[in-house]
Each structure stands twice: as C-alpha cells, then as structure tokens.
Amino acid sequence: VQLQASGGGLVQAGGSLRLSCAASTRSHYVMGWFRQAPGKEREFVAAISGTGHITNYADSVKGRFTISRDIRKNTVYLQMTVLKSEDTAVYYCAADSSSWVRSPLSKGTYGTGTDWGQGTQVTVSS
C-alpha cells in the first residue's frame, strides 16, 4: 500500500497540529505513526487497529496525541496537542497487513513488511 503523509509544519510549544496519512487502497491494515529526530533512531508514536477500535501509544505522547482513522476515506490521523520541543521530528506513517495481535505496530515496533509514507516535518519552537 502507498501512503501519503501531510499536515506537518512549524508550531509553538503548547500548540496543536493534525497529521494525515492517506492510503492508496481501502484496507483494514494496522496503521501507525513513527518519528525520527536528527541523530536519533526512528521511534514509535502510535498505532491503530484495522477497525479503529484498538489503539496503542508511546508513553511520551499518551494524553497529548490521539490516533484515529476514517475507513471510508482510507485515512489515518494523528491529532497532536500540547506540543513540546522534544516532539520535533520527521513523522512517518506506517501500515502493516497483519492482524492487530500479529502486527509489530501494535507492539510499538516495525518489521520488514511494514510500508512507509514519505514523512512530514514537525517543528515545535520553544
């Protein structure tokens, strides 16, 4: 599946931003968001099941970020609030065709079968 991420930008600390990830086909893939800051490894942010009923978040974003999906639009969203400077990174959306219990995304990681979008830059100024 091809993924197209959008919605990044520059925002002040404490502000909000919503990222979108449009998938090329209608599917019930497990989908998620990862981010990578300069000089750091790619890290898990959030994941959502194919039906949208189950979610998982990194501890660092719990209570501030919300992942959701609109199956009719083949789109996954990441609503980010109370942004901090440490949230600055390139954000990547990801998709996995496995079931939720089998998907590495549900466990906060990725695998060789994970599909990636092109990334969108989020910069939080303090």
Side-chain angles (χ1 to χ4, degrees):
V1 63
Q2 292 182 329
L3 305 171
Q4 181 72 37
S6 62
L10 174 64
V11 63
Q12 288 187 333
S16 300
L17 209 58
R18 189 178 80 157
L19 305 183
S20 300
C21 177
S24 59
T25 61
R26 178 167 294 182
S27 70
H28 285 79
Y29 285 14
V30 174
M31 295 187 71
W33 290 93
F34 289 74
R35 65 188 182 186
Q36 188 166 18
K40 294 188 177 181
E41 294 186 353
R42 190 169 297 190
E43 67 172 4
F44 171 76
V45 176
I48 189 166
S49 65
T51 60
H53 295 157
I54 309 172
T55 57
N56 186 28
Y57 295 92
D59 288 342
S60 59
V61 306
K62 278 182 181 176
R64 300 189 298 121
F65 290 11
T66 302
I67 188 170
S68 62
R69 70 190 298 164
D70 186 332
I71 294 175
R72 294 171 300 173
K73 294 183 178 180
N74 305 332
T75 301
V76 171
Y77 304 97
L78 185 68
Q79 179 67 50
M80 304 184 293
T81 64
V82 194
L83 282 161
K84 306 175 181 179
S85 57
E86 51 263 44
D87 294 319
T88 295
V90 177
Y91 283 70
Y92 297 90
C93 63
D96 186 271
S97 60
S98 305
S99 64
W100 177 257
V101 294
R102 292 178 179 269
S103 173
L105 303 187
S106 69
K107 302 170 181 59
T109 188
Y110 55 89
T112 55
T114 301
D115 294 321
W116 297 97
Q118 85 286 8
T120 184
Q121 176 71 46
V122 172
T123 302
V124 183
S125 62
S126 57

